[in-house]
Amino acid sequence: MANLNGFNRKVTNLLKRHELVSSEDLLRLGDQSNQEKMSVAQLAVQEEYIEELTLLGLVSEDCGMPPINLGLVDIDMDELSDLNKGDQPILEDDAKRFNILPVSIIGNHLTLAVANPYDVVTLDDIKLATGKNILPVISSERAIQNKIEEVYNAKEKAMQNFIDDLGDGDDDELMITEKADGEEEAEGDLLEETGEGSPVVKLANRIILEAIQKGASDIHIEPFEKRVRVRLRIDGVLHEVLNPPKKLEKGLVSRLKIMTDTMNIAERGKPQDGRFQVKVAGNTIDFRLSSLPLVHGEKMCMRILDKGNLAGSLESLQFEPAVLDIIQRSIGAPYGMFLVTGPTGSGKSTTLYSAVQAVMTIEDNVNTVEDPVEYEIEGLNQCHVNPKRGLTFASALRALLRQDPDTIMIGEIRDQETIEIAVKAALTGHLVLSTLHTNDAPSTINRIVDMGVEPLMVASSVLAVSAQRLGRRLCKACKVKMDRAEWPEAENLLKIGYTEEEIETMDVYKAVGCSLCSKGYKGRFAMVECLEVNKPVKKVILAGGSNVEIRDMAVEHGMVTLRRAGLMNAMRGVTTIDEVLRVTVGEEEDAD
């Protein structure tokens, strides 16, 4: 300790004045202090002449400075990082040498734990070095030294603990097909960090495996200034599952890029896309990876494409019987267009692939144009759009029409040229299946008109439009029937779409939560409205009717709206009313 002799004199006088240690013992402690270079205060506590808290109280009272219990204080060295920007920062060696520890900064004031409050020279030096006003608080040498070990090495210890927790067992369950085309462009340190057996490899494997085990549809790796957040989208809702050390971020991003066939790990300033495959328990699962440069690093988003989740038939999707009948009639037609709409992640691809598989026979030539091909299906002619090479949806469709097709599936209709070719194909003897991004089925009609297609062509080519949302399914193990006293008021139930007769007889369930589910929900189901373009609806389209007019006519002829489909499932105990309201919009809201 700096200025040991002065501190020893002060402590010796305090102990003598309060008659806590005899003069003989104080002489002996003084000699021992000179030999072992330890303070009299530390030796007196160590040899149990006085309790540490009692000594702190004496010193605090004598110098007029408050004591502090460092064991109860959380100190974040990142918040004190400004102290390390001067010419003489408070480094770990300085803290140990002078028995001092920065505790907190508020404005221009630095709270500093000190064992020797009488060493005014050291306090003045720290004031000059940090540019802060020093507020000393009294602690013991032992407490300060222990806290120094804890806070100055916190990141390293957290890193080591995190790496130890990753373990090695998961690697045996996960086989990754790697294509490192960009590997030769990598920096040497990153390649070393992402080598087999490295922490980032274990971390990447753990994230992927946990996502698969939990049935996630997406993985989000998000960089912030001082931390990294990993979230999984499970049943349509994001859940935070991991906070890896910031130090592993670049290595993790590079590892994921190396696993793809197209991404360049040396390029961090622009978005990139790639794909890779993993094998778990003999099942091959595709991952679609996207990177986006942010302020504090690159955000990685991975879409999980598990063929095991792909429905084999339309019946297995458990649509409402009326909806299923319309879809089956539409895809059973010799020509025309069937469209599926909805936001990203609403199950459009699942519905389309199920419809395609329903029409696939040895007699028919079934083709797809996709960007990208999400699921590879045996017997299906699938074309991957590549705009960089001039292969757009429109050019691929023109080529397909010269390939003698019977059925064409278009991954997504995005522009006027594509919709015009699709409509012409539907009017010239081909069955066309595709998706559009609209809020509901009726608005899809006017969306096509807005893209430049005449209402007559729309009415003649479109067979049906299906709009869907995915809602969370109640966990069968823990769902509970609500007492009527817990229900929303009857006026509110009527407002959202229930009838008085239904309110009298229906049951309402609530989510509880158990070890088998996520906050009371497990799995998802589809809420679907299907607009069949029958004669009454065609008349409204030809007359230039609005979305509301098309909707009203369709409902009058039996269309079940998205909200209504959800409410019916809530009555059956499939989901909750709150979940239906979360993912659907009422007719009065939509009209606004």
Side-chain angles (χ1 to χ4, degrees):
M1 175 185 289
N3 199 8
L4 181 61
N5 291 334
F7 185 50
N8 281 346
R9 283 196 301 271
K10 290 285 188 180
V11 172
T12 299
N13 289 335
L14 279 175
L15 295 175
K16 185 183 294 186
R17 186 193 318 160
H18 291 276
E19 298 180 350
L20 295 171
V21 182
S22 67
S23 298
E24 291 180 358
D25 288 334
L26 285 173
L27 287 173
R28 187 180 61 79
L29 289 175
D31 292 337
Q32 188 177 349
S33 172
N34 291 330
Q35 292 173 5
E36 299 182 14
K37 303 301 180 184
M38 293 174 64
S39 70
V40 169
Q42 189 175 0
L43 289 170
V45 171
Q46 184 176 298
E47 300 198 9
E48 300 182 354
Y49 284 104
I50 186 173
E51 291 185 356
E52 186 174 271
L53 293 179
T54 303
L55 180 61
L56 288 182
L58 290 176
V59 175
S60 174
E61 183 181 7
D62 184 63
C63 68
M65 299 175 186
I68 186 172
N69 186 348
L70 290 177
L72 302 179
V73 178
D74 291 326
I75 300 175
D76 186 352
M77 292 306 292
D78 287 336
E79 295 180 0
L80 300 168
S81 59
D82 285 344
L83 296 178
N84 291 331
K85 294 178 181 177
D87 295 331
Q88 297 178 359
I90 302 179
L91 300 176
E92 182 178 359
D93 289 342
D94 296 325
K96 288 181 176 179
R97 178 186 172 196
F98 293 106
N99 268 304
I100 59 173
L101 180 67
V103 176
S104 66
I105 295 179
I106 299 178
N108 199 41
H109 297 279
L110 166 64
T111 300
L112 187 73
V114 298
N116 181 3
Y118 307 104
D119 188 1
V120 293
V121 174
T122 297
L123 294 179
D124 286 341
D125 289 343
I126 295 171
K127 180 179 180 179
L128 290 173
T130 62
K132 305 290 183 183
N133 294 322
I134 306 301
L135 301 177
V137 290
I138 311 301
S139 186
S140 68
E141 297 170 53
R142 177 199 59 82
I144 289 176
Q145 293 295 331
N146 288 344
K147 201 68 174 180
I148 287 172
E149 290 294 332
E150 176 185 325
V151 300
Y152 276 94
N153 300 304
K155 288 186 177 180
E156 288 73 14
K157 289 181 179 178
M159 171 77 77
Q160 190 57 51
N161 291 337
F162 183 85
I163 292 171
D164 292 342
D165 289 342
L166 289 177
D168 299 311
D170 292 349
D171 297 349
D172 297 333
E173 303 176 51
L174 188 68
M175 291 181 60
I176 301 177
T177 303
E178 299 180 23
K179 295 179 182 178
D181 292 350
E183 189 168 333
E184 68 277 4
E185 302 178 64
E187 293 98 332
D189 60 334
L190 285 180
L191 284 179
E192 184 177 345
E193 288 178 9
T194 57
E196 292 300 327
S198 70
V200 293
V201 171
K202 294 179 181 180
L203 176 58
N205 289 358
R206 173 178 169 178
I207 292 171
I208 291 169
L209 191 62
E210 185 169 350
I212 294 170
Q213 291 171 341
K214 291 185 175 181
S217 60
D218 300 87
I219 302 171
H220 293 258
I221 301 173
E222 302 161 309
F224 299 100
E225 183 179 4
K226 297 176 182 177
R227 67 187 183 103
V228 179
R229 179 174 68 184
V230 178
R231 294 192 291 173
L232 304 181
R233 188 176 294 279
I234 303 171
D235 295 337
V237 178
L238 285 170
H239 300 268
E240 187 170 335
V241 295
L242 204 60
N243 287 107
K246 180 70 174 178
K247 186 177 179 180
L248 293 181
E249 177 207 335
K250 288 185 179 179
L252 175 60
V253 169
S254 297
R255 169 62 181 174
L256 293 172
K257 288 181 177 180
I258 286 174
M259 289 162 57
T260 71
D261 55 355
T262 57
M263 300 178 79
N264 179 2
I265 70 174
E267 177 58 69
R268 299 175 191 155
K270 65 180 182 181
Q272 298 185 67
D273 296 292
R275 299 172 70 95
F276 63 88
Q277 287 185 338
V278 303
K279 288 187 178 180
V280 179
N283 296 324
T284 300
I285 301 172
D286 291 317
F287 282 73
R288 197 167 71 207
L289 178 61
S290 171
S291 71
L292 178 67
L294 299 182
V295 175
H296 298 295
E298 287 183 88
K299 181 183 185 296
M300 310 298 285
C301 182
M302 290 182 276
R303 170 63 58 88
I304 303 173
L305 305 171
D306 186 356
K307 290 182 182 178
N309 296 332
L310 190 61
S313 65
L314 285 168
E315 289 78 9
S316 65
L317 299 178
Q318 299 180 347
F319 291 162
E320 299 292 333
V323 170
L324 184 60
D325 286 345
I326 295 173
I327 294 175
Q328 288 177 330
R329 282 200 301 272
S330 299
I331 64 176
Y335 59 87
M337 186 158 55
F338 170 66
L339 298 172
V340 183
T341 76
T344 301
S346 61
K348 300 188 299 296
S349 295
T350 300
T351 300
L352 271 189
Y353 277 109
S354 296
V356 166
Q357 291 184 84
V359 301
M360 281 177 60
T361 64
I362 195 67
E363 293 88 7
D364 287 335
N365 178 19
V366 184
N367 303 265
T368 76
V369 183
E370 304 172 68
D371 182 21
V373 173
E374 293 193 4
Y375 300 97
E376 295 182 13
I377 298 177
E378 180 68 27
L380 188 60
N381 301 305
Q382 296 174 275
C383 175
H384 186 132
V385 168
N386 189 341
K388 291 182 180 179
R389 297 185 178 179
L391 185 60
T392 63
F393 275 110
S395 61
L397 276 174
R398 289 194 193 93
L400 271 184
L401 291 174
R402 296 192 291 272
Q403 293 279 318
D404 184 30
D406 295 298
T407 301
I408 301 171
M409 185 190 99
I410 307 170
E412 182 183 349
I413 293 176
R414 300 175 179 173
D415 52 49
Q416 180 178 355
E417 190 177 11
T418 303
I419 188 64
E420 287 177 349
I421 297 172
V423 167
K424 289 177 182 177
L427 291 173
T428 54
H430 306 92
L431 179 63
V432 178
L433 314 176
S434 188
T435 69
L436 266 175
H437 279 286
T438 55
N439 291 326
D440 56 22
S443 63
T444 304
I445 301 299
N446 282 326
R447 169 68 177 142
I448 297 173
V449 173
D450 291 341
M451 293 175 76
V453 180
E454 293 293 329
L456 175 61
M457 302 280 278
V458 177
S460 302
S461 61
V462 178
L463 300 168
V465 181
S466 173
Q468 61 188 61
R469 301 288 188 279
L470 292 181
R472 291 179 293 173
R473 187 184 294 272
L474 274 170
C475 173
K476 295 180 181 179
C478 66
K479 70 178 182 180
V480 172
K481 188 184 296 184
M482 295 173 64
D483 295 330
R484 283 196 169 256
E486 300 178 90
W487 285 23
E489 294 181 0
E491 292 82 1
N492 291 330
L493 292 173
L494 288 169
K495 186 177 180 180
I496 64 176
Y498 282 116
T499 65
E500 292 183 356
E501 293 77 12
E502 287 170 341
I503 295 172
E504 289 296 323
T505 59
M506 71 181 186
D507 292 320
V508 177
Y509 293 81
K510 65 180 178 181
V512 178
C514 66
S515 60
L516 300 177
C517 65
S518 175
K519 297 181 180 180
Y521 297 96
K522 186 177 183 180
R524 291 193 286 179
F525 72 100
M527 290 174 259
V528 183
E529 68 178 17
C530 199
L531 168 67
E532 186 171 21
V533 184
N534 50 29
K535 288 184 179 179
V537 173
K538 285 183 179 181
K539 289 181 180 179
V540 177
I541 296 172
L542 292 171
S546 67
N547 298 342
V548 175
E549 291 171 328
I550 294 173
R551 172 186 290 277
D552 290 344
M553 181 60 71
V555 170
E556 184 181 331
H557 286 80
M559 184 184 84
V560 178
T561 65
L562 279 169
R563 171 64 64 84
R564 183 65 186 162
L567 294 176
M568 291 167 66
N569 277 283
M571 283 193 294
R572 300 183 189 120
V574 175
T575 190
T576 62
I577 293 176
D578 287 342
E579 178 66 8
V580 174
L581 299 180
R582 184 181 73 85
V583 298
T584 65
V585 176
E587 292 179 35
E588 71 288 343
E589 299 170 80
D590 193 41
D592 293 340

